[in-house]
Structure formats: C-alpha cells, structure tokens
Amino acid sequence: MPVTIMKAREIFQIYQRLLNRRPYLVQAIQTGTLMGAGDLISQTFIEKKSFRDADYARTIKFSSIGFCFGGPALRVWYGLLNRHVGSTGKTVALKKVFIDQAVFAPTFLFFLLVGLGALQGKSWDLIENDINTNYIDILKTNYYVWPWVQIVNFYYVPLQYQVLLVQGIALFWNTYLSYKTNRTKLSQ
C-alpha cells in the first residue's frame, strides 16, 4: 500500500478518536477553520487581494463565528434531528431535510448575519440594513444548494461525520457568505 494512503488512514483514525472523545471541540475547530479558509478564498480569489494584503482580522472574526457558534450549533442540531426524527431511511432523511431547511437554515443565517455584523463593529442600524439587504438573497441561494447536500448527508452519512461533510461543502458556501457579507463594506 502506498505510503500516502497509509498516512491518510492514520490521520483519519486520529480524527475519529478525537471526534469520539471531544465531538463539540473537534467540530468547532473544523467549522472555524473552514469558515476562515472560505474568507481567505473570498478575499484572494473573488476580491482579488494578494495573500499578503488580506484582512486577517476579518478572517479571524469570520472563523470565530464557526468556532463559537456554527460548529457547536450544527452538532447539537444534528443530534436533535437524529434523536427526534430518526437515524435511517429515505423518509427520515426527507423529514430531516424539510425540518433543517424550514427551521434551522433561516434561523442560523439570521444569527450568522447578526453575529458577523456585531464582530465587524457595526451598529444595530447597519446590521439591520445588512439583514434587509442580504438575508432573503442568501436564504434563496441556500435553498438552491443545501437541500441536495442534506439529502445525501442525512441518508448516507453517519451522524458523527455529518458536520464534516457539511463543512467540506461549506468551504464554497463560506466563500460565498464571506463575499456577500463584506460586499457592502468593500464598495465603501
């Protein structure tokens, strides 16, 4: 077996052990890391800043939302869905997707916009303006992407890996969110 496959397997086994011991911490770290990566991708590839000129304070703020709020919230949410809706089957997966998109997505996105605005030092009036400007558009875009991802996630992926799958896909989503939530700031 090639050495790289063995190393990857060892890394995954370490990840599994850590995930079993400290699921909230591991998922907070992976969510924060991927949100920060999404912000850096937004700054360098979409906003065309050089890596050296990136706003690292902005990246840390965006990342902290994932670490303090996103990862733990997703872990709790998926656990609740698993406990109250079920864990296997097509009907269960479809129910979870419906509840996730009807309850969690709109709520999470609202608090994400409020949290990002607060971390950016915006007044409540500016945060409210950002919500009025971006919320519906972000929510609509969410509905184009996430129901499909969540069907796969809830039907095929074991509970302990659901946040990881979502965050892997969310790297692209986080890039979009970073761009969208900083767009008005960029044009000023």
Side-chain angles (χ1 to χ4, degrees), residues 89-182:
K90 290 178 186 173
T91 304
V92 167
L94 291 173
K95 285 179 186 177
K96 284 180 172 181
V97 170
F98 177 78
I99 295 167
D100 181 67
Q101 294 301 302
V103 177
F104 186 79
T107 306
F108 182 81
L109 289 173
F110 175 80
F111 284 109
L112 178 83
L113 290 174
V114 170
L116 283 172
L119 286 174
Q120 292 169 346
K122 294 180 179 178
S123 67
W124 176 250
D125 289 339
L126 283 176
I127 293 171
E128 192 174 16
N129 184 54
D130 285 351
I131 291 167
N132 290 335
T133 303
N134 292 322
Y135 179 76
I136 297 298
D137 190 42
I138 291 171
L139 189 61
K140 282 183 195 175
T141 304
N142 167 85
Y143 290 139
Y144 287 118
V145 174
W146 288 107
W148 308 109
V149 171
Q150 293 293 44
I151 286 171
V152 170
N153 197 31
F154 293 138
Y155 188 67
Y156 293 107
V157 179
L159 177 63
Q160 70 267 28
Y161 303 119
Q162 288 178 353
V163 174
L164 178 61
L165 172 78
V166 165
Q167 287 306 314
I169 303 296
L171 180 60
F172 302 102
W173 178 251
N174 295 334
T175 301
Y176 164 75
L177 285 178
S178 176
Y179 171 73
K180 190 77 172 163
T181 57
N182 286 285

